[in-house]
Amino acid sequence: MEQYKKEFIEFMVDCQVLKFGDFVTKSGRKTPFFINTSFYRSGRQLSRLGHYYAKAIQEKYGTDFDVLFGPAYKGIPLSVATAMEFSQLYDSDVKFCSNRKEVKDHGDVGILLGSPLCDGDKVVIIEDVTTAGTSIEETVPIIKAQGNVEVMGLVVSVDRMERGKGEKSALCEIQEKYGIQTTAIVTMAEVVEHLYNKEYKGKIIIDDELKAAIDAYYEQYGVK
């Protein structure tokens, strides 16, 4: 596993973004782990998060794209922070863009924030976590409505590796439906690999009991 992935997993733990216990997802699934990206709350945290996103994006898509698109609302700071870090790491001045929930009809009019989307632009969508792909169903038409724009792919922070609306993972369903490449900074398999029965800051985060609960969850909701 790449070093930046290990660092990112520990970063999520430190920020209390990655938690283990008893939770219920929006889809009603009882889960032993939860990823709450609203716990990234400081400039330093957002800068580091952008750094890890930039690493994952460059690894998957290289630098041959034009715009990072962050769907409102959580995607807005992600697109800004990652564009800044991408520029620093790879000397590639990618633009950032997001949508508004409501169309603005005065001043900076329209549905978009940041850079406009132009014919020929190659776009990578950046999100926090995708479970059912609902946000992408709303986002892709907005991007496509701006002109002859190519949506290259989608990057999320964590691939939960569970079924979406069918028997395949949400990221796989998105990839097949829209013909785009999908990737994540880390998968839950990598999270478990890095934390299972390994001490981090004096504590075993994933012990045998928690590992059994995670395995049982994937037995029920994992990709078949």
Side-chain angles (χ1 to χ4, degrees):
M1 189 190 311
E2 294 88 337
Q3 182 62 30
Y4 80 87
K5 291 176 178 280
K6 297 177 182 178
E7 292 176 4
F8 178 63
I9 293 167
E10 294 169 3
F11 173 62
M12 287 194 293
V13 172
D14 290 341
C15 294
Q16 300 183 52
V17 167
L18 175 62
K19 296 184 177 182
F20 298 96
D22 295 312
F23 308 97
V24 179
T25 66
K26 287 182 180 179
S27 58
R29 297 174 179 176
K30 293 183 179 181
T31 173
F33 60 90
F34 193 72
I35 300 149
N36 187 351
T37 57
S38 64
F39 275 80
Y40 295 124
R41 293 173 174 172
S42 74
R44 184 171 296 173
Q45 289 174 340
L46 194 56
S47 177
R48 284 191 63 187
L49 179 59
H51 176 89
Y52 297 127
Y53 266 110
K55 287 276 192 178
I57 289 169
Q58 193 278 334
E59 186 175 281
K60 182 71 174 183
Y61 308 107
T63 59
D64 185 24
F65 65 97
D66 305 291
V67 184
L68 274 175
F69 189 96
Y73 288 103
K74 288 184 178 180
I76 296 174
L78 294 180
S79 66
V80 175
T82 305
M84 294 172 68
E85 289 294 319
F86 202 90
S87 173
Q88 292 293 319
L89 285 171
Y90 305 111
D91 193 27
S92 180
D93 196 21
V94 298
K95 297 175 286 187
F96 66 88
C97 180
S98 297
N99 64 295
R100 294 182 171 96
K101 289 290 187 180
E102 303 83 19
V103 177
K104 189 176 179 184
D105 59 5
H106 62 281
D108 183 17
V109 299
I111 197 171
L112 300 183
L113 296 165
S115 174
L117 296 177
C118 305
D119 286 349
D121 276 346
K122 297 178 180 179
V123 179
V124 173
I125 301 171
I126 182 170
E127 286 204 301
D128 54 352
V129 179
T130 293
T131 302
T134 305
S135 175
I136 293 300
E137 291 179 354
E138 300 170 353
T139 301
V140 170
I142 292 172
I143 295 174
K144 292 289 190 179
Q146 308 309 309
N148 184 21
V149 177
E150 177 187 352
V151 179
M152 290 182 60
L154 165 70
V155 58
V156 298
S157 60
V158 181
D159 180 358
R160 288 181 59 97
M161 300 179 65
E162 59 191 83
R163 296 196 305 275
K165 296 180 179 179
E167 294 301 311
K168 298 180 180 180
S169 72
L171 287 183
C172 184
E173 289 175 350
I174 290 168
Q175 185 165 307
E176 291 184 356
K177 182 174 181 178
Y178 296 103
I180 64 177
Q181 299 181 67
T182 60
T183 193
I185 302 175
V186 293
T187 66
M188 274 307 298
E190 289 171 326
V191 170
V192 172
E193 175 189 338
H194 186 57
L195 295 179
Y196 176 48
N197 274 346
K198 296 176 184 175
E199 189 173 291
Y200 177 64
K201 293 187 174 179
K203 182 180 179 182
I204 300 295
I205 297 173
I206 300 180
D207 57 16
D208 290 336
E209 182 179 355
L210 181 54
K211 175 64 161 53
I214 294 172
D215 289 344
Y217 181 78
Y218 280 113
E219 183 67 29
Q220 184 172 5
Y221 296 115
V223 178
K224 301 299 182 181

